[in-house]
């Protein structure tokens, strides 16, 4: 790769850059199933102003690498998340300017800016088929945390990259667990029931109080936002969600799962909470529901130190893929597990 001769400056996107962004975006389609440019563009640009559907994304900023003739050579999108992290993506360089250090410049400039803003962690994901992007993050100091097979589409892997300005000094063991210990006398009486906002909000809040231990920034509006998302249908573009609960013969609450289908064929199931038999029923219900809708896999997170819960998930068919360092709260690592359906 040659050294940059472009004399670049790092600037926030302006109205005049939008045509340039629009011509660059189709580049990403080849790495995702279900990628549709016009909607993706609208999401990116409109949500730079306000992300109305996402809870975890607080704001998006688009920054441009501009050359000495004021031309846009590429852009980077910075997605500010709750828990004081930023997700980079997409980053796209004008094909005519590739291999000249523009990508590295965009990442280095972003890291300098985010360090000044005291962001805790920066992360990104790439497709294993995308060698330039994978090499770019590696060479920019990012560490490979987890590889998830067939997350975006068949035959490839999603690589998750992390960058810390300061590594967490202390790692905590979990006090709460998503696996509930009590024994259900009549396990055969357990039933999967659709979430009823009136009757079940208290249960949803209880589950949220469990994961709050390893999420820094969950507030009281989280439950309401999830309930709203469950009323939007199951479209990944609108970030729709499905909530299922498990009840026993006396309508006693025994488990709950929140499922969010993602672009490319995977379904995020998190949190997945309950007694062991309830977890089994939830997973079976989600498998059949999403297989029918054409999805390929489920994935979920556990506190990385919760061995009993991880064991319960693996006995249900999940595979442990590795740990992500402090994704939502400093000192709390999460394990990622997935299950092909
Ligand atoms: C990925 C991308 C942003 C890289 O931008 P770039 O400006 O060409 O990258 P740079 O010139 O700064 O190169 C940085 C490093 O990336 C790697 N790299 C860049 N192009 C590469 C290529 N064609 N093959 C292999 N590695 C490559 C090199 O390791 C390079 O480091 P080096 O200069 O020390 O050798 C660019 O290829 C692109 O826009 N791709 C299409 C969009 C995309 O896939 N974006 C990522 C998804 S979010």
């Amino acid at each position: 790769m040659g050294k940059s001769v472009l004399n670049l400056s790092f600037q926030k996107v302006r109205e005049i850059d939008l045509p340039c962004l629009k011509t660059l975006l189709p580049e990403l389609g080849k790495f995702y199933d279900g990628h549709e440019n016009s909607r993706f563009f609208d999401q990116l640009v409109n949500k730079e102003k306000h992300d109305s559907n996402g809870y975890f994304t607080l704001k998006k900023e688009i920054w441009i690498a501009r050359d000495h003739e004021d031309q846009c050579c590429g852009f980077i999108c910075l997605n500010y998340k709750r828990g004081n992290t930023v997700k980079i993506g997409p980053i796209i360089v004008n094909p005519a300017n590739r291999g000249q250090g523009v990508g590295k410049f965009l990442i280095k400039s972003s890291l300098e800016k985010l360090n000044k803003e005291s962001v805790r962690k920066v992360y990104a994901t790439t497709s294993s088929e995308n060698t330039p992007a994978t090499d770019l993050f590696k060479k920019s100091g990012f560490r490979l945390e987890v590889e998830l097979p067939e997350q975006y589409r068949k035959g490839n892997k999603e690589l998750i990259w992390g960058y810390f300005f300061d590594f967490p000094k202390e790692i905590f063991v979990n006090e709460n667990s998503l696996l509930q210990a009590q024994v259900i006398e009549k396990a055969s009486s357990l039933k999967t029931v659709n979430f009823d906002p009136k009757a079940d909000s208290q249960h949803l809040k209880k589950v949220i109080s469990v994961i709050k231990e390893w999420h820094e920034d969950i507030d009281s509006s989280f439950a309401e936002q999830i309930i709203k998302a469950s009323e939007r249908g199951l479209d990944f573009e609108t970030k729709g969600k499905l909530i299922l609960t498990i009840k026993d013969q006396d309508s006693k609450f025994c488990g709950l799962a929140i499922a969010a289908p993602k672009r490319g064929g995977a379904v995020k199931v998190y949190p997945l909470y309950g007694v062991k038999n309830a977890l089994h029923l939830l997973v079976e219900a989600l498998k059949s529901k999403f297989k029918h809708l054409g999805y390929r896999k489920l994935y979920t997170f556990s506190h990385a130190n919760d061995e009993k819960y991880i064991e319960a998930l693996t006995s249900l068919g999940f595979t442990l893929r590795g740990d992500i360092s402090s994704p939502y709260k400093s000192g709390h690592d999460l394990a990622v597990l997935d299950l092909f359906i």
Side-chain angles (χ1 to χ4, degrees):
M1 299 285 140
K3 226 178 143 33
S4 171
V5 287
L6 295 168
N7 197 11
L8 297 167
S9 63
F10 185 63
Q11 293 177 10
K12 196 148 187 215
V13 71
R14 287 184 266 157
E15 206 70 30
I16 54 158
D17 299 313
L18 296 185
C20 164
L21 263 61
K22 209 163 190 165
T23 46
L24 293 182
L25 262 178
E27 287 285 330
L28 288 180
K30 54 183 183 254
F31 301 112
Y32 297 93
D33 280 347
H35 177 87
E36 211 249 281
N37 283 312
S38 59
R39 287 177 88 182
F40 194 74
F41 181 76
D42 285 348
Q43 274 191 338
L44 190 64
V45 175
N46 293 331
K47 284 185 193 164
E48 203 214 354
K49 295 182 187 114
H50 181 59
D51 187 348
S52 55
N53 292 334
Y55 176 83
F56 284 106
T57 303
L58 296 170
K59 66 167 176 170
K60 285 177 191 258
E61 285 186 8
I62 299 173
W63 287 73
I64 302 284
R66 218 179 284 290
D67 69 9
H68 56 289
E69 288 173 340
D70 220 25
Q71 294 301 308
C72 159
C73 298
F75 75 90
I76 188 164
C77 183
L78 305 176
N79 306 271
Y80 287 75
K81 303 279 182 180
R82 282 176 194 258
N84 198 17
T85 66
V86 167
K87 180 178 181 185
I88 288 186
I91 170 171
I92 307 186
V93 170
N94 186 345
N97 296 117
R98 293 204 185 143
Q100 300 176 337
V102 180
K104 261 190 188 164
F105 170 81
L106 281 166
I107 294 198
K108 187 169 164 276
S109 308
S110 300
L111 292 178
E112 280 166 13
K113 166 184 154 65
L114 299 173
N115 192 16
K116 277 191 209 131
E117 293 169 354
S118 302
V119 164
R120 191 171 61 74
K121 182 183 183 184
V122 186
Y123 68 101
T125 68
T126 62
S127 156
S128 56
E129 290 174 322
N130 191 349
T131 311
T134 297
D135 285 1
L136 173 64
F137 284 104
K138 208 187 292 169
K139 292 235 171 137
S140 300
F142 282 68
R143 195 173 65 91
L144 180 62
E145 297 197 311
V146 178
E147 298 184 25
L148 298 175
E150 304 198 355
Q151 190 79 357
Y152 295 135
R153 66 178 188 144
K154 274 197 156 168
N156 78 355
K157 285 186 195 156
E158 177 188 29
L159 311 182
I160 302 178
W161 300 90
Y163 184 99
F164 282 94
F165 299 105
D166 287 308
F167 273 101
K169 293 188 180 47
E170 209 179 339
I171 297 296
F172 299 98
V173 173
N174 60 304
E175 285 170 16
N176 297 333
S177 178
L178 288 165
L179 176 67
Q180 297 305 288
Q182 70 265 35
V183 177
I184 303 293
E185 276 167 25
K186 281 205 180 139
S188 58
S189 73
L190 293 182
K191 273 205 274 316
T192 311
V193 188
N194 276 334
F195 183 79
D196 169 2
K198 272 207 187 112
D200 296 325
S201 283
Q202 44 165 334
H203 305 312
L204 177 62
K205 285 184 183 148
K206 182 177 168 184
V207 177
I208 291 170
S209 73
V210 170
I211 63 168
K212 258 181 128 167
E213 187 191 340
W214 51 88
H215 283 261
E216 191 173 277
D217 226 355
I218 285 183
D219 63 26
S220 56
S221 69
F222 187 50
E224 286 155 41
Q225 297 230 18
I226 288 177
I227 294 171
K228 265 198 212 143
S230 73
E231 289 156 3
R232 283 202 291 267
L234 283 179
D235 182 353
F236 61 80
E237 297 281 2
T238 56
K239 299 189 177 166
K241 290 182 172 50
L242 172 71
I243 315 176
L244 293 179
T245 62
I246 301 289
K247 306 258 171 87
D248 73 3
Q249 57 193 3
D250 304 321
S251 290
K252 194 172 148 251
F253 172 69
C254 298
L256 182 144
I258 301 172
K262 299 286 176 179
R263 183 191 310 281
V267 180
K268 175 169 158 183
V269 180
Y270 179 73
L272 172 58
Y273 166 99
V275 297
K276 176 102 190 270
N277 307 72
L279 298 182
H280 172 70
L281 284 181
L282 287 166
V283 169
E284 287 308 310
L286 293 169
K287 266 160 81 175
S288 80
K289 169 94 190 168
F290 285 100
K291 192 176 172 138
H292 186 69
L293 291 173
Y295 286 86
R296 186 183 322 116
K297 65 184 276 194
L298 310 178
Y299 69 100
T300 192
F301 302 106
S302 157
H303 195 286
N305 291 298
D306 194 344
E307 283 167 16
K308 281 198 179 135
Y309 181 56
I310 293 174
E311 202 180 292
L313 292 175
T314 48
S315 76
L316 296 176
F318 278 89
T319 303
L320 177 61
R321 298 292 176 190
D323 292 351
I324 304 186
S325 294
S326 301
Y328 302 120
K329 188 173 182 177
S330 186
H332 290 270
D333 296 348
L334 295 195
V336 193
L337 300 99
D338 63 8
L339 169 67
F340 282 88
I341 55 181

